[in-house]
Amino acid sequence: MPAERTSSGDPTRTLQLLWRDSSSESRRGPRRGLSIDAVVEAATAIADAEGLDAVTMRRVAKDLGVVPMTLYTYVPGKAELLDLMLDSAYARMHRTDTAGQPWRQRVTAIAEENRALFERHPWATAVCTVRPPLGPGQMSKYEHELSALDGLGLSDVEMDDCLTHLLTFVQACARAAADSRAAQQDSALNDQQWWELNAPLLARVLDEKAYPTAVRVGAAAGAAHNSAHDPAHAYSFGLQRVLDALAALIDRGADTETSTSAQRHDAIRP
């Protein structure tokens, strides 16, 4: 289960903060010249460097040079702060102009933009967004991404489904890549070094007769990727399969539209 999820705080207060509604400004306590944006930037910097667990109201206050109670005059707590951090990250994402390009290139650009987001903010890979922070960054991101699927004969629900499927894949790959980097950092060994170190033991305990397919395929994959898992290859291979799956749905819709048009034409033919 994810350690953190969006929209877990006070929904009214969170939306007011996300949209910078003036009624969300608290009048309690000293201001000392801070702003919500400054709080979000400080929290994001901590998360980028040390992970989301390091982000506490006390730690953010310390980095900003204020007492913790001052911070609460801007943000009620970490739940609301997480929504602000993620929405800010969404707002700052690069938006590729793919107008006029084939749909595969448009969808690939969306995948790459989200992959870059997770590389820039690895903590975001572990955040559950089934209840997304409906702030300006989120809505701008959603509008931009849907444009890659618009005009392809998909229903509105299918467009949302396709985008969800794509982004779920990208987030899963990004999380696996982050886990791989963490494993290398913790062990001080890259994957190839780890396997070479453990190869003698594996050679003794793995019975090729008992697991012939697993040993054969595992050896081939390991030789190809210098590891049991290559995050970059998994992303590249998986993205093509996602695109192929979307193509089947899009082509089916195009065939249906063509058939419907032909039937209409036949119906009005004299």
Side-chain angles (χ1 to χ4, degrees):
M1 293 292 292
E4 303 285 352
R5 62 179 177 85
T6 54
S7 299
S8 62
D10 180 342
T12 300
R13 184 82 168 112
T14 299
L15 287 172
Q16 289 175 329
L17 288 167
L18 286 167
W19 291 94
R20 302 301 193 268
D21 181 4
S22 59
S23 64
S24 69
E25 296 180 2
S26 173
R27 302 300 178 188
R28 297 175 300 156
R31 286 293 180 175
R32 300 191 182 183
L34 286 182
S35 68
I36 294 175
D37 289 339
V39 174
V40 172
E41 288 176 8
T44 300
I46 295 170
D48 289 346
E50 303 175 40
L52 205 53
D53 287 344
V55 179
T56 64
M57 299 297 278
R58 182 176 295 277
R59 171 63 187 281
V60 175
K62 178 182 177 182
D63 282 16
L64 288 170
V66 299
V67 297
M69 287 308 298
T70 299
L71 209 61
Y72 287 102
T73 66
Y74 297 91
V75 182
K78 185 175 178 180
E80 293 82 3
L81 179 56
L82 175 59
D83 285 352
L84 289 164
M85 292 166 60
L86 198 57
D87 197 70
S88 176
Y90 288 160
R92 297 181 183 187
M93 287 177 67
H94 175 68
R95 312 262 198 258
T96 306
D97 183 5
T98 57
Q101 294 186 10
W103 73 263
R104 278 181 177 262
Q105 290 178 235
R106 301 201 304 267
V107 173
T108 297
I110 297 303
E112 289 295 328
E113 290 165 6
N114 280 272
R115 189 185 187 199
L117 167 75
F118 291 127
E119 288 180 350
R120 191 175 303 112
H121 305 295
W123 51 269
T125 65
V127 177
C128 174
T129 58
V130 292
R131 291 184 177 177
L134 300 178
Q138 166 75 42
M139 297 309 298
S140 176
K141 177 179 186 290
Y142 188 47
E143 179 74 18
H144 167 70
E145 292 170 348
L146 286 173
S147 69
L149 296 163
D150 201 14
L152 299 178
L154 300 171
S155 70
D156 288 350
V157 174
E158 287 172 336
M159 287 173 61
D160 182 78
D161 287 342
C162 289
L163 181 59
T164 298
H165 181 57
L166 174 72
L167 299 187
T168 299
F169 161 76
V170 175
Q171 184 171 5
C173 285
R175 185 166 188 174
D179 289 344
S180 179
R181 290 192 295 269
Q184 291 188 31
Q185 183 176 358
D186 292 344
S187 66
L189 299 170
N190 62 35
D191 287 346
Q192 185 175 4
Q193 292 169 330
W194 188 90
W195 282 104
E196 289 175 351
L197 182 65
N198 289 279
L201 173 61
L202 291 172
R204 290 198 305 271
V205 300
L206 283 181
D207 184 353
E208 294 186 15
K209 294 181 180 179
Y211 315 107
T213 307
V215 171
R216 187 188 78 244
V217 173
H225 308 310
N226 292 320
S227 171
H229 178 72
D230 178 359
H233 171 76
Y235 171 80
S236 178
F237 176 86
L239 179 58
Q240 294 308 310
R241 304 295 75 77
V242 170
L243 294 175
D244 290 344
L246 297 188
L249 182 63
I250 292 167
D251 291 345
R252 186 185 69 189
D255 291 342
T256 300
E257 181 64 24
T258 300
S259 176
T260 301
S261 297
Q263 290 173 3
R264 290 173 180 169
H265 179 75
D266 290 341
I268 62 174
R269 181 179 299 170

